[in-house]
Amino acid sequence: MSLTLHAAQYGYRPNKVLITAAYAGQQVNHNVIRDFAQIKSPEFLKLNPLGKIPVLETPNGPLYESNAIVRYIARLGASANLYGANEYEAGQVEQYLDFNTTEIEPAYGLVLYPVLGYREVAAEVRQKAQNDLQNALRILEDRLNGRQFLVGNQITIADIVIATTLVEGFRLFFTEKIRNSLPNLTKWFQGLVQQQNFSNILGRVHLATEEWKPVASSAPAQGAKKEAAPKKEAAPKKEAAPKKEEAPKKEAKKKEEDEEEKAPEKKEKNPLDLLPPSTFDLYNFKTLFVNSTDRRATMQTFWETYDPAGFSIWILHYQKAEGEGQKLFLTANLANGFLQRLDDFRKYAFAAHGVYGESPNLEIKGCWLWRGTGHPNEIKDQDTYEYHTFTQIDVNNADHRKLVEDYWCNINEGEKVDGLTVQEVKYFK
């Protein structure tokens, strides 16, 4: 049977479909949608009149809505019992699919999307969502007490759908403190994502070491109490208090508090900003190089102006876990995630970084130029830091210099770098 999934490259919706297909033993071709104008075309609207993805093309026609697609695939692979072992368990599976849709996803989105920078959410709204999410997770925690799976004695689509929904939470803001308060849920989640059918799609899931904060400041909640007009009339009543001797003390204390509030917070300087001045202008180089029509020629200017005392060049190579590097879109997801988490580092660095080689032996590598001669905190703070090897370039070595030029100039699909085929490479600038 021919099944084609039209979906984004990443995300929990395509992930749960592909993982379900793996357990159900169904072959699904993933047509990655990169141009989202495509889903509004007349041709695509015939598949889904809403102009949304994912959509599954089947021999009988198209299906949309991700949970409907998951249910369909689970029924195709009936022998896998992804719907439970009997009618009652099937009902429980449906119960948890609805629970995920109505209780987890609405609150989860309000917590997650500001962290990913997709939208701003008012601070009070996000706090309420965090409380609602915690309550929903507590219900799952109680359910999983003494259980390996949500329903019955084997994995069902209830486990697949909820686990894939929670992946980014465990990666970004379910800290160790939160995980310790939800030991059953955490054990269940880790047991699932370590299974081959999950790891083939998700890669290695690294658990959050600290809580990621919203990218943009949350706007004040509309209609929140803090927005109500302050009752300034209350101040004179305090001044009219009969305890005249205490008034000066209170006023002095208030003045001190006001001064403390007004005092600007001293932002801790980045250690890279404290390094001795360098003769090399990183910003100008990045602008010149990226916009050059002949980057090989621009490299000559780079070598003439490069300052090895103030900067260093490194080859980074990600050390894969078992099962990683087999599929391009998953490997690219890992590479892009690494770059996204380094956004604040762009001021100090430049790189060509991405996926090289051939499936199923793809590699994540990059050539990095950054301020300083050691490993900066921005790199060391990455949760995948320990899974990378770092090879420093000797700028006096002609072979090393050629390798740098190959990494930075050969970024198009099909070109070669260090004997490996370029698959998907991006500039970090």
Side-chain angles (χ1 to χ4, degrees), residues 9-10 199-204 318 320 323-338 353-365 423-424:
Q9 188 164 12
Y10 316 116
S199 62
N200 283 347
I201 304 301
L202 302 176
R204 180 165 43 191
Y318 174 70
K320 301 175 295 184
E324 290 182 332
Q326 296 181 354
K327 295 185 178 181
L328 177 57
F329 80 94
L330 294 176
T331 311
N333 189 14
L334 289 173
N336 292 334
F338 180 74
H353 189 92
V355 182
Y356 300 84
E358 304 287 348
S359 297
N361 296 308
L362 297 166
E363 302 291 343
I364 298 176
K365 304 180 76 175
Q423 295 293 344
E424 185 175 316

Side-chain angles (χ1 to χ4, degrees), residues 135-202:
N135 291 337
L137 297 181
R138 177 54 57 186
I139 291 173
L140 295 179
E141 171 70 14
D142 293 341
R143 171 65 179 177
L144 289 165
N145 186 22
R147 294 176 177 271
Q148 186 177 359
F149 304 104
L150 284 169
V151 177
N153 297 317
Q154 67 178 69
I155 192 170
T156 66
I157 53 175
D159 299 293
I160 295 171
V161 168
I162 293 181
T164 51
T165 299
L166 297 178
V167 166
E168 296 307 318
F170 275 95
R171 279 176 169 162
L172 302 178
F173 49 83
F174 293 169
T175 59
E176 184 176 5
K177 180 179 179 181
I178 293 175
R179 297 195 299 271
N180 287 342
S181 71
L182 300 167
N184 299 325
L185 181 68
T186 300
K187 181 180 179 181
W188 164 83
F189 177 81
Q190 289 185 290
L192 290 176
V193 299
Q194 289 171 6
Q195 292 189 25
Q196 193 70 41
N197 287 335
F198 273 83
S199 62
N200 283 347
I201 304 301
L202 302 176

